């Protein structure tokens, strides 16, 4: 497995989808700082509906485009692939462009592999509470304990801005764009403490016909890290 780069999620720091958590054309600023005040319980209710919809519809597969913008830049490199959701237990990222590689998180174990390599990495005791993963894996009640939220509605979407309650969180601000009609996330984005921004644009949600893809391949030798 090749060494991770800023645009390539590290095995020891699983991809955030922030799931998530990572997510509009141009820069990631959605203008939410100046959004009109909305009662927090209304904001969280929008996310609750999305979470419940994804739980009922899982397993699902969607396509994603991930953009990583380093601090001080207005654009960055893109990667794309598939996101598989087996909520509330599993998430899988299949990166297809520009490099083939996969990451599977189930419970507290992460598997990472490339289709053309006979061995892969396995890491246990991974925290499902990690920022970015928590948007898709934790309950709304747990999330409301971690973040302050504000929102606004733009056409057929709801834009949520999340700010951590504590100064030791992995990011300073996150954004989630929700589709009101389908109750699914369109975008998830966050800005880390170094000022780097990551965006995931999600589309083409469909039922996952082969649920066995939410288990690690049995053709690979796993190396525990």
């Amino acid at each position: 497995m090749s060494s991770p780069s800023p645009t390539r999620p590290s095995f020891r720091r699983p991809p955030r989808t922030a799931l998530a958590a990572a997510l509009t054309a141009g820069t990631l600023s959605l203008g939410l700082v100046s959004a009109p005040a909305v009662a927090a319980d209304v904001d969280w209710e929008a996310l609750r509906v999305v979470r419940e919809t994804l739980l009922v519809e899982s397993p699902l597969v969607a396509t994603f485009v991930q953009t990583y913008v380093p601090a001080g830049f207005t654009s960055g490199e893109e990667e794309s692939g598939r996101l598989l959701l087996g909520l509330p237990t599993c998430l899988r990222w299949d990166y297809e462009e520009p490099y083939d590689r996969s990451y599977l998180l189930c419970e507290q174990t992460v598997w990472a592999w490339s289709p053309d390599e006979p061995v892969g990495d396995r890491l246990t005791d991974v925290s499902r509470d990690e920022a970015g993963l928590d948007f898709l894996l934790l309950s709304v009640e747990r999330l409301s304990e971690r973040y302050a939220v504000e929102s606004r509605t733009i056409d057929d979407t709801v834009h949520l801005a999340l700010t951590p309650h504590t100064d030791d969180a992995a990011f300073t601000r996150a954004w989630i764009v929700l589709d009101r009609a389908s109750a699914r996330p369109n975008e998830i984005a966050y800005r880390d403490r170094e000022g780097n921004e990551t965006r995931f644009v999600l589309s083409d949600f469909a039922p996952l016909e082969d649920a066995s893809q939410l288990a690690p391949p049995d053709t690979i030798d796993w190396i525990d890290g």
Side-chain angles (χ1 to χ4, degrees):
M1 184 176 172
S2 57
S3 59
S5 69
T7 59
R8 201 175 304 173
S10 164
F11 169 60
R12 293 191 178 278
R13 298 185 64 186
R16 300 175 178 183
T17 75
L19 359 125
L23 322 150
T24 65
T27 65
L28 302 188
S29 175
L30 301 180
L32 291 173
V33 174
S34 60
V38 180
D41 57 345
V42 175
D43 298 337
W44 288 118
E45 185 60 28
L47 186 57
R48 186 192 309 277
V49 170
V50 171
R51 290 279 288 111
E52 291 177 351
T53 298
L54 292 176
L55 283 169
V56 169
E57 294 182 345
S58 285
L60 291 169
V61 59
T63 59
F64 72 82
V65 176
Q66 174 186 336
T67 305
Y68 175 87
V69 182
F73 291 79
T74 58
S75 62
E77 295 184 10
E78 289 187 353
E79 297 183 278
S80 61
R82 304 186 311 157
L83 171 64
L84 283 61
L85 300 94
L87 302 180
T89 306
C90 298
L91 295 172
R92 173 172 167 171
W93 296 259
D94 287 335
Y95 285 80
E96 298 168 349
E97 295 292 340
Y99 306 102
D100 286 339
R101 66 197 183 283
S102 295
Y103 299 84
L104 172 65
L105 166 69
C106 282
E107 298 294 350
Q108 291 183 290
T109 301
V110 172
W111 295 264
W113 71 97
S114 296
D116 56 348
E117 296 181 4
V119 297
D121 295 308
R122 177 171 55 198
L123 183 65
T124 57
D125 296 326
V126 174
S127 174
R128 295 161 60 86
D129 291 359
E130 183 173 351
L133 293 177
D134 56 0
F135 299 145
L136 292 175
L137 297 176
L138 297 187
S139 68
V140 171
E141 287 75 19
R142 291 280 302 280
L143 292 174
S144 65
E145 295 171 357
R146 294 173 162 221
Y147 307 110
V149 63
E150 49 186 310
S151 75
R152 67 175 177 177
T153 300
I154 302 176
D155 297 326
D156 295 325
T157 60
V158 177
H159 295 237
L160 300 180
L162 304 177
T163 305
H165 288 311
T166 63
D167 293 334
D168 59 353
F171 61 83
T172 59
R173 198 159 176 85
W175 299 266
I176 303 177
V177 180
L178 309 175
D179 182 80
R180 299 175 67 190
S182 65
R184 292 169 177 162
N186 287 347
E187 303 177 17
I188 301 175
Y190 66 89
R191 180 183 298 118
D192 66 26
R193 295 208 165 272
E194 288 72 44
N196 307 307
E197 297 180 337
T198 304
R199 177 175 71 237
F200 286 88
V201 177
L202 306 174
S203 61
D204 302 325
F205 282 87
L208 177 63
E209 302 296 342
D210 182 8
S212 68
Q213 296 179 71
L214 291 168
D218 57 12
T219 56
I220 290 180
D221 293 327
W222 300 106
I223 298 175
D224 291 318

